[in-house]
C-alpha cells in the first residue's frame, strides 16, 4: 500500500493511524522522495513531449490505457540499461493502475529525509530503519562507514550522492519514542 502521499494532509492522516499502533509496535510507512521524483518528473516530461506532442500535462492524467501502455514502453526503453534499472524492474511498471499512480496521480506529496525527521518528531515517533534489501544495506555500510543505519541524516547524505536511491519510495520503519 501507501496512500499517505496522495492525501490532502498526509501528516494529519498519519497522526490518526497512530491510534492503531501499540506502544511497542512498529509501523512501516512509504513516502515519495522529492529527490528521486525529480528524475521521474523529468523523464515523464521528456516522454510526453516526444511521444505525445501538443498534449498539455493535465490532459495526460486522462490518458487511455493504450496511451499509458505507449508511455510505459518508452519509459522502459529509456530506463532498462541505465542507473534507473530499479525503476524499470519495479512492480509499478507492470500494472496500468500502478503506472498511473506513479506518474499521473493528481495529488502527491514528496519529502526529503530532513522533512520526514521533523514530521516524526512532531508525531512523537522515531526512525528505526529502512525497509531495505541486503544490497541497499551493504551500500549504506560501504558509503557511510561507521554511521548508524537508524540515522536519517546519513541516509539523506547518501541520497544526495545517489539521487535515484529511493526511486520507488522511502520505506521507513518507525516506532513510538
Amino acid at each position: 500500500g501507501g496512500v499517505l502521499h496522495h492525501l490532502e494532509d498526509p501528516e494529519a492522516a498519519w497522526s490518526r493511524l497512530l491510534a492503531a499502533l501499540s506502544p511497542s509496535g512498529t509501523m512501516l510507512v512509504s513516502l515519495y522522495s522529492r529527490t528521486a521524483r525529480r528524475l521521474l518528473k523529468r523523464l515523464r516530461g521528456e516522454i510526453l513531449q516526444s511521444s505525445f506532442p501538443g498534449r498539455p500535462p493535465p490532459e495526460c492524467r486522462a490518458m487511455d490505457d493504450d496511451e499509458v501502455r505507449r508511455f510505459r514502453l518508452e519509459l522502459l526503453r529509456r530506463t532498462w540499461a541505465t542507473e534507473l534499472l530499479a525503476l524499470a524492474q519495479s512492480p509499478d511498471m507492470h500494472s496500468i493502475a500502478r503506472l498511473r499512480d506513479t506518474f499521473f496521480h493528481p495529488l502527491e506529496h514528496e519529502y526529503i529525509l530532513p522533512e520526514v525527521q521533523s514530521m516524526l518528531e512532531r508525531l512523537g515517533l522515531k526512525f528505526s530503519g529502512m525497509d531495505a534489501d541486503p544490497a541497499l544495506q551493504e551500500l549504506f555500510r560501504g558509503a557511510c562507514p561507521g554511521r548508524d543505519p537508524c540515522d536519517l541524516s546519513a541516509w539523506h547524505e547518501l541520497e544526495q550522492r545517489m539521487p535515484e536511491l529511493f526511486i520507488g519510495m522511502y520505506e521507513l520503519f518507525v516506532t513510538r519514542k
Side-chain angles (χ1 to χ4, degrees), residues 6 61 100-101 103-108:
H6 290 314
R61 292 191 175 97
R100 281 185 200 281
D101 183 67
F103 283 93
F104 303 111
H105 199 284
L107 178 62
E108 60 182 42

Side-chain angles (χ1 to χ4, degrees), residues 16 38 42 56 68 90 93-94 100 123 126-127 133:
R16 288 189 296 278
R38 278 189 207 114
R42 187 195 79 232
V68 173
S90 163
M93 298 302 108
H94 303 288
R100 281 185 200 281
L123 292 168
K126 68 178 178 178
F127 173 64
D133 63 31

Side-chain angles (χ1 to χ4, degrees), residues 41-99:
K41 288 177 177 182
R42 187 195 79 232
L43 251 166
R44 178 183 64 194
E46 291 170 1
I47 293 170
L48 292 176
Q49 187 174 29
S50 66
S51 300
F52 302 90
R55 189 174 197 166
E59 302 270 333
C60 292
R61 292 191 175 97
M63 292 169 66
D64 65 37
D65 288 354
D66 287 335
E67 291 171 317
V68 173
R69 286 183 185 97
R70 266 184 38 220
F71 176 87
R72 176 177 54 200
L73 186 63
E74 180 60 19
L75 179 66
L76 290 171
R77 188 185 71 72
R78 292 178 184 223
T79 58
W80 195 258
T82 71
E83 72 279 358
L84 297 176
L85 179 61
L87 173 65
Q89 294 174 328
S90 163
D92 292 337
M93 298 302 108
H94 303 288
S95 152
I96 296 287
R98 287 182 69 164
L99 189 73

Side-chain angles (χ1 to χ4, degrees), residues 19 21 24 29-30 81-82 105 164 169:
L21 182 63
S24 61
V29 177
S30 301
T82 71
H105 199 284
E164 72 284 356
M169 292 186 184

Side-chain angles (χ1 to χ4, degrees), residues 95-166:
S95 152
I96 296 287
R98 287 182 69 164
L99 189 73
R100 281 185 200 281
D101 183 67
T102 301
F103 283 93
F104 303 111
H105 199 284
L107 178 62
E108 60 182 42
H109 296 275
E110 305 162 341
Y111 301 91
I112 56 173
L113 289 170
E115 292 170 332
V116 173
Q117 181 63 49
S118 294
M119 197 168 17
L120 292 174
E121 289 168 9
R122 289 190 299 275
L123 292 168
L125 297 170
K126 68 178 178 178
F127 173 64
S128 58
M130 286 288 178
D131 185 13
D133 63 31
L136 181 54
Q137 292 172 16
E138 184 62 33
L139 174 70
F140 179 88
R141 283 190 295 275
C144 305
R147 300 289 299 270
D148 182 352
C150 292
D151 177 2
L152 276 177
S153 66
W155 285 101
H156 178 67
E157 290 167 19
L158 181 57
E159 184 180 27
Q160 297 311 295
R161 290 184 273 163
M162 300 179 69
E164 72 284 356
L165 190 61
F166 297 105

